[in-house]
Structures are given as C-alpha cells and as structure tokens.
Amino acid sequence: SPVLFTFDNKRLIVESNRGRDKTAIFEFDPSTAKEGKLIAEHPTVDMGSVSYSRKRKVLTTANYTTWKGERQFLDKEAETMFKSVEKKLPGYEIAFISTNKAEDKYIVATFNDKSRGKRYLYDKASDTLEFIADISPWLPENALSDMKPISYQARDGLTINGYLTLPKGGAVKNLPVIVNPHGGPWARDQWRFNPEVQFLA
C-alpha cells in the first residue's frame, strides 16, 4: 500500500506484509517492484501511517497501535518536540494535526478515554502552548468510565485484544454484558473516547 514518494521522487514509502505476517514500512523500488530498505516494524502489530516534514524532507514517525496509539521516532527533532509537548499535557494522548509552511507553529490535539479532547496552538520557537478550545466541555471527565485494555485466547490459539468499560461507581459484580464488535477483519477499535460505550456504561 503506497504511502508517499521518497523525497527524491525515485522510490515509494509503502506499507507491506508481502512474505511476512505483520505489515511493516519499507522503501519500494517501482522499477523492480520489490521492497528495499526496511524503515520500521513491530513484532506483534501491523505498522500504520507514516508522518513526515514537508519542509525538512525527512520522515518523522512511523505509527502503530498496541492497546493505544504509539510511534517509532525516525527523526530526533520531531522526537524532542513531541516529548516536550507530551510533558506539558499529562494524562492525554497528543497528536500534531496541522502546521504552517514554516513548521514553527502547530495545532495539537489531545484526547483520552474520557474526553474528546482539547486543541492547542504550539509555538516551536518558544516551546509554549496556547489553549484554543475544549471539544466537549459539557462532558466532565470525572463522571465518565475508564476504558481498560483486555486480552484473551481464542479457540485457535490467537490472542484477541479488546477493551472493557465498567459503569462508574457501585459494585463490579453481576453486571450485564454488552459485546460491541468492531467493523471488520482489517480494522480495530482504539483506546479513545467512544460515546456509544460511555452511554451504555
């Protein structure tokens, strides 16, 4: 699955699982139709999207999902920036969702299992965040339920991963169970705010 051209426009960056069980990120040579340099892989899950700097012409992260979204850093500058912002927003997952052409100002999104999140403007030069908006300020996080990762073995020996959300407060026993399957064999649910799950809990 092509992701983008290399910055010299001679090869492709692709996601591929040819000859392997898990999808990894490769350079791909269209003249030979073969994968070349391995860029990123994970031993237990498929790799997902790749992020890059349009200005600096470098790949920055290779992204994947275990029980929540994670990333392999491919660029030190991006890693330093990400970790700095992450420290300023404890308790939340973060994502850089937009930038200007100079790549010195970014829109940062936050979220977790009990919040649709907030948006901030990040100034790279001053390493500061400016609050923009709360997506759903009417939903108090302390009133919502935790989404916890679980896993169990299927009859064929493969591990099934999922999430368990329990009602807030009260004894955790003799509860009804609602099984909410995801939408297909190539998709998976993710650890984040799910309004249907919170409503049912």
CSV table of all heavy atoms in Angstrom, one decimal, residues 65-69 93 111-115 141 143-150 161-168 180-182 188-199 201:
chain,number,residue,atom,x,y,z
A,65,THR,N,-0.5,0.8,16.5
A,65,THR,CA,-1.5,0.7,17.6
A,65,THR,C,-1.2,-0.6,18.3
A,65,THR,O,-1.4,-1.7,17.7
A,65,THR,CB,-2.9,0.8,17.2
A,65,THR,OG1,-3.1,2.0,16.5
A,65,THR,CG2,-3.9,0.7,18.4
A,66,THR,N,-0.9,-0.6,19.6
A,66,THR,CA,-1.0,-1.7,20.5
A,66,THR,C,-2.3,-1.6,21.2
A,66,THR,O,-3.3,-1.7,20.6
A,66,THR,CB,0.2,-1.8,21.5
A,66,THR,OG1,0.3,-0.6,22.2
A,66,THR,CG2,1.5,-2.0,20.7
A,67,TRP,N,-2.3,-1.4,22.5
A,67,TRP,CA,-3.6,-1.1,23.2
A,67,TRP,C,-4.0,0.4,23.0
A,67,TRP,O,-5.1,0.8,23.2
A,67,TRP,CB,-3.6,-1.5,24.7
A,67,TRP,CG,-2.7,-0.7,25.6
A,67,TRP,CD1,-1.4,-0.8,25.8
A,67,TRP,CD2,-3.1,0.5,26.3
A,67,TRP,NE1,-0.9,0.1,26.7
A,67,TRP,CE2,-2.0,0.9,27.0
A,67,TRP,CE3,-4.3,1.1,26.5
A,67,TRP,CZ2,-2.0,2.0,27.9
A,67,TRP,CZ3,-4.4,2.2,27.4
A,67,TRP,CH2,-3.2,2.6,28.1
A,68,LYS,N,-3.0,1.2,22.6
A,68,LYS,CA,-3.3,2.6,22.3
A,68,LYS,C,-2.3,3.0,21.2
A,68,LYS,O,-1.4,2.3,20.8
A,68,LYS,CB,-3.2,3.5,23.5
A,68,LYS,CG,-1.8,3.6,24.1
A,68,LYS,CD,-1.8,4.6,25.3
A,68,LYS,CE,-0.4,4.7,25.9
A,68,LYS,NZ,-0.4,5.7,26.9
A,69,GLY,N,-2.5,4.2,20.6
A,69,GLY,CA,-1.6,4.6,19.5
A,69,GLY,C,-0.2,4.9,20.0
A,69,GLY,O,0.0,5.5,21.1
A,93,GLU,N,-3.3,11.6,25.4
A,93,GLU,CA,-2.6,11.3,24.2
A,93,GLU,C,-2.6,12.6,23.4
A,93,GLU,O,-3.5,13.4,23.4
A,93,GLU,CB,-3.4,10.2,23.4
A,93,GLU,CG,-3.4,8.9,24.1
A,93,GLU,CD,-2.0,8.3,24.3
A,93,GLU,OE1,-1.4,8.0,23.3
A,93,GLU,OE2,-1.6,8.2,25.5
A,111,PHE,N,-6.5,13.9,23.6
A,111,PHE,CA,-7.7,13.1,23.9
A,111,PHE,C,-7.3,12.0,24.8
A,111,PHE,O,-6.1,11.7,25.1
A,111,PHE,CB,-8.3,12.4,22.6
A,111,PHE,CG,-7.3,11.4,21.9
A,111,PHE,CD1,-7.4,10.1,22.3
A,111,PHE,CD2,-6.4,11.8,21.0
A,111,PHE,CE1,-6.5,9.2,21.7
A,111,PHE,CE2,-5.5,10.9,20.4
A,111,PHE,CZ,-5.6,9.6,20.8
A,112,ASN,N,-8.3,11.3,25.4
A,112,ASN,CA,-8.1,10.1,26.2
A,112,ASN,C,-9.5,9.3,26.2
A,112,ASN,O,-10.3,9.7,25.4
A,112,ASN,CB,-7.6,10.4,27.6
A,112,ASN,CG,-8.6,11.2,28.5
A,112,ASN,OD1,-9.8,11.3,28.2
A,112,ASN,ND2,-8.0,11.8,29.5
A,113,ASP,N,-9.6,8.3,27.0
A,113,ASP,CA,-10.8,7.5,27.0
A,113,ASP,C,-12.0,8.2,27.6
A,113,ASP,O,-13.1,7.7,27.4
A,113,ASP,CB,-10.5,6.2,27.7
A,113,ASP,CG,-10.1,6.4,29.2
A,113,ASP,OD1,-9.6,7.5,29.5
A,113,ASP,OD2,-10.1,5.4,30.0
A,114,LYS,N,-11.8,9.3,28.3
A,114,LYS,CA,-13.0,10.0,28.9
A,114,LYS,C,-13.1,11.4,28.4
A,114,LYS,O,-13.9,12.2,29.0
A,114,LYS,CB,-12.8,10.0,30.4
A,114,LYS,CG,-12.7,8.6,31.1
A,114,LYS,CD,-12.7,8.6,32.6
A,114,LYS,CE,-11.4,9.1,33.1
A,114,LYS,NZ,-10.3,8.2,32.9
A,115,SER,N,-12.5,11.8,27.3
A,115,SER,CA,-12.5,13.1,26.8
A,115,SER,C,-12.4,13.1,25.3
A,115,SER,O,-11.5,12.5,24.8
A,115,SER,CB,-11.4,14.0,27.4
A,115,SER,OG,-11.3,15.2,26.8
A,141,GLU,N,-14.9,14.8,32.7
A,141,GLU,CA,-14.1,13.5,32.7
A,141,GLU,C,-14.3,12.7,33.9
A,141,GLU,O,-14.4,11.4,33.8
A,141,GLU,CB,-12.6,13.8,32.5
A,141,GLU,CG,-12.3,14.4,31.1
A,141,GLU,CD,-10.8,14.6,31.0
A,141,GLU,OE1,-10.0,13.6,31.3
A,141,GLU,OE2,-10.4,15.7,30.5
A,143,ALA,N,-16.8,12.1,35.6
A,143,ALA,CA,-18.1,11.4,35.6
A,143,ALA,C,-18.2,10.2,34.6
A,143,ALA,O,-19.2,9.5,34.6
A,143,ALA,CB,-19.2,12.4,35.3
A,144,LEU,N,-17.1,10.1,33.8
A,144,LEU,CA,-17.1,9.0,32.8
A,144,LEU,C,-16.3,7.8,33.2
A,144,LEU,O,-15.5,7.9,34.1
A,144,LEU,CB,-16.7,9.6,31.5
A,144,LEU,CG,-17.6,10.8,30.9
A,144,LEU,CD1,-17.0,11.4,29.7
A,144,LEU,CD2,-19.0,10.3,30.7
A,145,SER,N,-16.4,6.8,32.4
A,145,SER,CA,-15.8,5.5,32.8
A,145,SER,C,-14.5,5.2,32.0
A,145,SER,O,-14.3,5.6,30.9
A,145,SER,CB,-16.8,4.3,32.4
A,145,SER,OG,-18.0,4.5,33.1
A,146,ASP,N,-13.6,4.5,32.8
A,146,ASP,CA,-12.3,4.1,32.2
A,146,ASP,C,-12.5,3.0,31.1
A,146,ASP,O,-13.4,2.1,31.3
A,146,ASP,CB,-11.4,3.6,33.3
A,146,ASP,CG,-11.0,4.6,34.3
A,146,ASP,OD1,-10.9,5.8,33.9
A,146,ASP,OD2,-10.9,4.3,35.5
A,147,MET,N,-11.7,3.1,30.1
A,147,MET,CA,-11.7,2.1,29.0
A,147,MET,C,-10.4,1.3,29.2
A,147,MET,O,-9.3,1.8,28.9
A,147,MET,CB,-11.8,2.8,27.7
A,147,MET,CG,-11.9,1.9,26.5
A,147,MET,SD,-12.0,3.0,25.0
A,147,MET,CE,-12.2,1.7,23.7
A,148,LYS,N,-10.4,0.1,29.7
A,148,LYS,CA,-9.2,-0.7,30.0
A,148,LYS,C,-8.9,-1.8,29.0
A,148,LYS,O,-9.9,-2.5,28.6
A,148,LYS,CB,-9.4,-1.3,31.4
A,148,LYS,CG,-9.5,-0.2,32.5
A,148,LYS,CD,-9.6,-0.8,33.9
A,148,LYS,CE,-9.7,0.3,34.9
A,148,LYS,NZ,-9.9,-0.3,36.3
A,149,PRO,N,-7.7,-1.9,28.6
A,149,PRO,CA,-7.3,-3.0,27.6
A,149,PRO,C,-7.4,-4.4,28.3
A,149,PRO,O,-7.1,-4.5,29.4
A,149,PRO,CB,-5.9,-2.6,27.2
A,149,PRO,CG,-5.3,-1.9,28.4
A,149,PRO,CD,-6.5,-1.1,29.0
A,150,ILE,N,-8.0,-5.3,27.5
A,150,ILE,CA,-8.0,-6.7,27.9
A,150,ILE,C,-7.6,-7.6,26.8
A,150,ILE,O,-7.5,-7.2,25.6
A,150,ILE,CB,-9.5,-7.1,28.3
A,150,ILE,CG1,-10.4,-7.0,27.2
A,150,ILE,CG2,-9.9,-6.4,29.6
A,150,ILE,CD1,-11.8,-7.6,27.3
A,161,ASN,N,-7.6,-9.1,21.3
A,161,ASN,CA,-7.4,-7.9,22.1
A,161,ASN,C,-8.8,-7.1,22.1
A,161,ASN,O,-9.5,-7.1,21.1
A,161,ASN,CB,-6.3,-7.0,21.5
A,161,ASN,CG,-5.0,-7.6,21.7
A,161,ASN,OD1,-4.5,-7.8,22.8
A,161,ASN,ND2,-4.3,-8.0,20.6
A,162,GLY,N,-9.1,-6.5,23.2
A,162,GLY,CA,-10.3,-5.7,23.3
A,162,GLY,C,-10.2,-4.7,24.4
A,162,GLY,O,-9.1,-4.4,25.0
A,163,TYR,N,-11.3,-4.1,24.8
A,163,TYR,CA,-11.4,-3.2,25.9
A,163,TYR,C,-12.6,-3.5,26.8
A,163,TYR,O,-13.6,-4.0,26.3
A,163,TYR,CB,-11.5,-1.7,25.3
A,163,TYR,CG,-10.4,-1.3,24.4
A,163,TYR,CD1,-10.5,-1.5,23.1
A,163,TYR,CD2,-9.2,-0.8,25.0
A,163,TYR,CE1,-9.4,-1.1,22.2
A,163,TYR,CE2,-8.1,-0.5,24.2
A,163,TYR,CZ,-8.2,-0.6,22.8
A,163,TYR,OH,-7.2,-0.3,22.0
A,164,LEU,N,-12.4,-3.2,28.0
A,164,LEU,CA,-13.5,-3.4,29.0
A,164,LEU,C,-13.8,-2.0,29.6
A,164,LEU,O,-13.0,-1.4,30.2
A,164,LEU,CB,-13.1,-4.4,30.1
A,164,LEU,CG,-14.1,-4.6,31.2
A,164,LEU,CD1,-15.4,-5.2,30.6
A,164,LEU,CD2,-13.5,-5.5,32.3
A,165,THR,N,-15.1,-1.6,29.6
A,165,THR,CA,-15.6,-0.4,30.2
A,165,THR,C,-16.6,-0.8,31.2
A,165,THR,O,-17.7,-1.4,30.9
A,165,THR,CB,-16.1,0.6,29.2
A,165,THR,OG1,-15.1,0.9,28.2
A,165,THR,CG2,-16.6,1.9,29.8
A,166,LEU,N,-16.4,-0.4,32.5
A,166,LEU,CA,-17.3,-0.7,33.6
A,166,LEU,C,-18.0,0.5,34.0
A,166,LEU,O,-17.5,1.6,33.9
A,166,LEU,CB,-16.6,-1.4,34.7
A,166,LEU,CG,-15.9,-2.7,34.5
A,166,LEU,CD1,-15.0,-3.1,35.6
A,166,LEU,CD2,-16.9,-3.8,34.2
A,167,PRO,N,-19.3,0.4,34.5
A,167,PRO,CA,-20.0,1.6,35.0
A,167,PRO,C,-19.3,2.2,36.1
A,167,PRO,O,-18.6,1.6,36.9
A,167,PRO,CB,-21.3,1.0,35.5
A,167,PRO,CG,-21.5,-0.3,34.8
A,167,PRO,CD,-20.1,-0.8,34.6
A,168,LYS,N,-19.4,3.5,36.2
A,168,LYS,CA,-18.8,4.3,37.2
A,168,LYS,C,-19.5,4.1,38.6
A,168,LYS,O,-20.7,4.2,38.6
A,168,LYS,CB,-18.8,5.8,36.8
A,168,LYS,CG,-18.0,6.7,37.7
A,168,LYS,CD,-16.6,6.9,37.2
A,168,LYS,CE,-15.9,8.0,37.9
A,168,LYS,NZ,-14.5,8.1,37.5
A,180,ASN,N,-19.6,-5.4,21.9
A,180,ASN,CA,-19.7,-4.4,20.8
A,180,ASN,C,-18.5,-4.7,19.9
A,180,ASN,O,-17.4,-4.1,20.0
A,180,ASN,CB,-19.6,-3.0,21.4
A,180,ASN,CG,-19.9,-1.9,20.4
A,180,ASN,OD1,-20.1,-2.2,19.3
A,180,ASN,ND2,-20.0,-0.7,20.9
A,181,PRO,N,-18.7,-5.5,18.8
A,181,PRO,CA,-17.6,-5.9,17.9
A,181,PRO,C,-17.3,-4.7,17.0
A,181,PRO,O,-18.1,-3.8,16.7
A,181,PRO,CB,-18.2,-7.0,17.1
A,181,PRO,CG,-19.5,-7.4,17.7
A,181,PRO,CD,-20.0,-6.2,18.5
A,182,HIS,N,-16.0,-4.7,16.6
A,182,HIS,CA,-15.6,-3.7,15.6
A,182,HIS,C,-16.0,-4.0,14.2
A,182,HIS,O,-16.6,-5.1,14.0
A,182,HIS,CB,-14.1,-3.5,15.7
A,182,HIS,CG,-13.3,-4.7,15.3
A,182,HIS,ND1,-13.2,-5.1,14.0
A,182,HIS,CD2,-12.5,-5.5,16.0
A,182,HIS,CE1,-12.4,-6.1,13.9
A,182,HIS,NE2,-12.0,-6.5,15.1
A,188,ARG,N,-9.7,-2.2,13.7
A,188,ARG,CA,-9.7,-2.5,15.1
A,188,ARG,C,-10.2,-1.2,15.8
A,188,ARG,O,-10.0,-0.1,15.3
A,188,ARG,CB,-8.3,-2.9,15.6
A,188,ARG,CG,-7.2,-1.8,15.4
A,188,ARG,CD,-6.1,-2.0,16.4
A,188,ARG,NE,-6.5,-1.8,17.8
A,188,ARG,CZ,-5.9,-2.3,18.8
A,188,ARG,NH1,-4.8,-3.1,18.7
A,188,ARG,NH2,-6.3,-2.1,20.0
A,189,ASP,N,-10.8,-1.5,17.0
A,189,ASP,CA,-11.1,-0.3,17.9
A,189,ASP,C,-9.9,0.2,18.5
A,189,ASP,O,-8.8,-0.4,18.5
A,189,ASP,CB,-12.1,-0.8,19.0
A,189,ASP,CG,-13.5,-1.1,18.4
A,189,ASP,OD1,-13.9,-0.5,17.5
A,189,ASP,OD2,-14.1,-2.0,19.0
A,190,GLN,N,-9.9,1.5,19.0
A,190,GLN,CA,-8.8,2.1,19.6
A,190,GLN,C,-9.2,2.6,20.9
A,190,GLN,O,-10.3,2.9,21.2
A,190,GLN,CB,-8.2,3.2,18.7
A,190,GLN,CG,-7.7,2.6,17.4
A,190,GLN,CD,-6.8,3.6,16.7
A,190,GLN,OE1,-6.4,4.7,17.2
A,190,GLN,NE2,-6.4,3.3,15.5
A,191,TRP,N,-8.1,2.8,21.8
A,191,TRP,CA,-8.3,3.4,23.1
A,191,TRP,C,-8.5,4.9,22.9
A,191,TRP,O,-7.6,5.6,22.6
A,191,TRP,CB,-7.1,3.1,24.0
A,191,TRP,CG,-7.3,3.6,25.4
A,191,TRP,CD1,-7.9,3.0,26.5
A,191,TRP,CD2,-6.8,4.9,25.9
A,191,TRP,NE1,-7.8,3.8,27.6
A,191,TRP,CE2,-7.2,5.0,27.3
A,191,TRP,CE3,-6.1,6.0,25.3
A,191,TRP,CZ2,-6.9,6.0,28.1
A,191,TRP,CZ3,-5.8,7.0,26.1
A,191,TRP,CH2,-6.2,7.1,27.5
A,192,ARG,N,-9.8,5.3,23.1
A,192,ARG,CA,-10.1,6.8,23.0
A,192,ARG,C,-11.5,6.9,23.4
A,192,ARG,O,-12.2,6.0,23.7
A,192,ARG,CB,-9.8,7.3,21.6
A,192,ARG,CG,-10.6,6.6,20.5
A,192,ARG,CD,-10.2,7.0,19.1
A,192,ARG,NE,-9.8,8.4,19.0
A,192,ARG,CZ,-8.8,8.9,18.3
A,192,ARG,NH1,-8.0,8.1,17.6
A,192,ARG,NH2,-8.5,10.2,18.2
A,193,PHE,N,-12.0,8.1,23.4
A,193,PHE,CA,-13.4,8.4,23.8
A,193,PHE,C,-14.3,7.8,22.8
A,193,PHE,O,-14.2,8.0,21.6
A,193,PHE,CB,-13.6,9.9,23.9
A,193,PHE,CG,-15.0,10.3,24.3
A,193,PHE,CD1,-15.4,10.2,25.6
A,193,PHE,CD2,-16.0,10.6,23.3
A,193,PHE,CE1,-16.7,10.6,25.9
A,193,PHE,CE2,-17.2,10.9,23.6
A,193,PHE,CZ,-17.6,10.9,25.0
A,194,ASN,N,-15.3,7.0,23.3
A,194,ASN,CA,-16.3,6.3,22.5
A,194,ASN,C,-17.7,6.7,23.1
A,194,ASN,O,-18.0,6.2,24.1
A,194,ASN,CB,-16.1,4.8,22.5
A,194,ASN,CG,-17.0,4.1,21.5
A,194,ASN,OD1,-18.2,4.4,21.5
A,194,ASN,ND2,-16.5,3.1,20.8
A,195,PRO,N,-18.4,7.5,22.4
A,195,PRO,CA,-19.7,8.0,23.0
A,195,PRO,C,-20.7,6.9,23.2
A,195,PRO,O,-21.4,6.9,24.2
A,195,PRO,CB,-20.2,9.0,22.0
A,195,PRO,CG,-19.5,8.8,20.7
A,195,PRO,CD,-18.2,8.2,21.1
A,196,GLU,N,-20.7,5.9,22.3
A,196,GLU,CA,-21.7,4.8,22.5
A,196,GLU,C,-21.3,4.0,23.7
A,196,GLU,O,-22.2,3.6,24.5
A,196,GLU,CB,-21.7,3.9,21.2
A,196,GLU,CG,-22.7,2.8,21.3
A,196,GLU,CD,-22.6,1.9,20.0
A,196,GLU,OE1,-21.6,1.9,19.3
A,196,GLU,OE2,-23.7,1.4,19.6
A,197,VAL,N,-20.0,3.7,23.9
A,197,VAL,CA,-19.6,2.9,25.0
A,197,VAL,C,-19.9,3.6,26.3
A,197,VAL,O,-20.4,3.1,27.3
A,197,VAL,CB,-18.1,2.6,24.9
A,197,VAL,CG1,-17.6,2.0,26.2
A,197,VAL,CG2,-17.9,1.6,23.8
A,198,GLN,N,-19.6,4.9,26.4
A,198,GLN,CA,-19.9,5.7,27.6
A,198,GLN,C,-21.3,5.8,27.9
A,198,GLN,O,-21.8,5.7,29.0
A,198,GLN,CB,-19.3,7.1,27.4
A,198,GLN,CG,-17.8,7.2,27.4
A,198,GLN,CD,-17.1,6.8,28.7
A,198,GLN,OE1,-17.7,6.8,29.8
A,198,GLN,NE2,-15.8,6.5,28.6
A,199,PHE,N,-22.2,5.9,26.9
A,199,PHE,CA,-23.6,5.9,27.0
A,199,PHE,C,-24.1,4.6,27.7
A,199,PHE,O,-24.9,4.6,28.6
A,199,PHE,CB,-24.3,6.2,25.7
A,199,PHE,CG,-25.8,6.0,25.7
A,199,PHE,CD1,-26.7,6.9,26.3
A,199,PHE,CD2,-26.4,4.8,25.2
A,199,PHE,CE1,-28.0,6.7,26.3
A,199,PHE,CE2,-27.8,4.6,25.2
A,199,PHE,CZ,-28.6,5.6,25.8
A,201,ALA,N,-22.3,2.3,29.3
A,201,ALA,CA,-21.8,2.2,30.7
A,201,ALA,C,-22.6,3.0,31.7
A,201,ALA,O,-22.9,2.6,32.8
A,201,ALA,CB,-20.3,2.6,30.7
